[in-house]
Amino acid sequence: MNEGLNYNEFSEILRRVSREMKGLKDYLIELDLATGDGDLGITISHGFTAVEETIETKPESVSQLLIKSGIAFNNAAGSTMGALFGMALMRAGKEVRDNEQVDLQAFLKMIIGMETSIKEKGKAEVGDKTILDALVPARIALEKSLAENTPVLPSLEQAYLASAKGAENTKSMQATYGRSRWLGERTIGFVDPGAVFISLFFKAIWESYRQQVLPRPEP
């Protein structure tokens, strides 16, 4: 089963994802205000604007596109989340430096790289009410799909659904990392904004891939 994306196809999906994530600015600000300082939406908007600008420079490979996008995201966002996600994108790029195409296995390598980077830099684990609570379930879902030889499109949908469930599960957790930790038990009952961001990131990937491989018929 060959469902690999070439460079142009992958960069177009990344462009669509970036556009979608920028559109969530106000929603993420509002969500973050419940337990934080409300800057998540600004971080995401600035970061993905920088990613869009990087795409236009046409890096020479998928690996370099992700690495340079991560650097740009980090530089533009100027926050803890910006640094974590930017470095995660860089790590994802390094994991696929030998890949000319992006298939499900390559995509899984990217997510594993992102997870490893976030754990190393953030020192958090699943259950700490962080972005990992949405990222790890998505990674597990992708591993299951790969083992079962599931096509890419439904695999990405399952990853999104797993991440959304993981994000929703953070509502019952108490924050132990980031600025929210100072609120202690008062964070219980609220979803973690970072986890929601990650779930929406996976949703954007799934929907963008669907638009790429299943274009709408001409009217």
Side-chain angles (χ1 to χ4, degrees):
M1 178 175 58
N2 182 12
E3 294 183 280
L5 300 170
N6 61 34
Y7 174 86
N8 289 334
E9 291 167 334
F10 180 80
S11 63
E12 179 58 30
I13 287 177
L14 186 58
R15 180 182 287 109
R16 291 176 176 176
V17 169
S18 298
R19 191 180 306 128
E20 182 68 24
M21 300 313 296
K22 285 168 56 182
L24 296 169
K25 176 182 176 180
D26 291 341
Y27 171 69
L28 292 175
I29 287 174
E30 182 179 357
L31 196 67
D32 194 29
L33 282 171
T35 57
D37 55 12
D39 69 346
L40 179 60
I42 297 171
T43 291
I44 299 311
S45 178
H46 287 177
F48 278 103
T49 295
V51 171
E52 282 187 308
E53 293 170 353
T54 302
I55 294 170
E56 297 307 315
T57 68
K58 300 185 185 304
E60 61 272 23
S61 66
V62 168
S63 176
Q64 284 299 307
L65 174 59
L66 287 170
I67 291 171
K68 292 181 178 181
S69 292
I71 293 170
F73 194 105
N74 189 6
N75 291 339
S79 67
T80 300
M81 176 64 79
L84 279 175
F85 193 76
M87 288 187 285
L89 285 178
M90 285 185 265
R91 183 64 170 266
K94 292 176 182 178
E95 293 296 326
V96 293
R97 57 182 172 267
D98 296 326
N99 290 78
E100 294 183 3
Q101 288 198 322
V102 178
D103 54 12
L104 187 60
Q105 187 172 33
F107 188 76
L108 175 59
K109 286 163 63 176
M110 294 179 194
I111 302 307
I112 291 174
M114 293 179 73
E115 177 186 338
T116 301
S117 175
I118 291 169
K119 284 182 176 179
E120 288 176 353
K121 306 301 180 184
K123 309 301 181 183
E125 295 290 343
V126 173
D128 289 332
K129 197 168 182 141
T130 70
I131 58 179
L132 289 173
D133 291 300
L135 184 63
V136 171
R139 184 260 298 164
I140 293 172
L142 287 173
E143 288 178 331
K144 183 174 185 291
S145 292
L146 188 63
E148 296 175 352
N149 203 30
T150 306
V152 176
L153 185 58
S155 297
L156 294 178
E157 181 181 14
Q158 289 305 308
Y160 156 59
L161 293 174
S163 67
K165 182 177 180 181
E168 181 63 23
N169 287 343
T170 64
K171 186 178 291 186
S172 64
M173 301 174 187
Q174 178 176 325
T176 56
Y177 280 82
R179 294 178 181 176
S180 298
R181 72 183 185 277
W182 301 110
L183 295 176
E185 293 182 354
R186 284 179 288 173
T187 60
I188 298 175
F190 296 93
V191 292
D192 177 68
V196 173
F197 152 59
I198 289 296
S199 72
L200 295 174
F201 175 64
F202 276 102
K203 181 181 181 182
I205 292 172
W206 164 52
E207 291 181 337
S208 297
Y209 184 90
R210 182 175 60 186
Q211 292 167 11
Q212 182 76 16
V213 301
L214 299 175
R216 294 181 180 179
E218 293 293 332

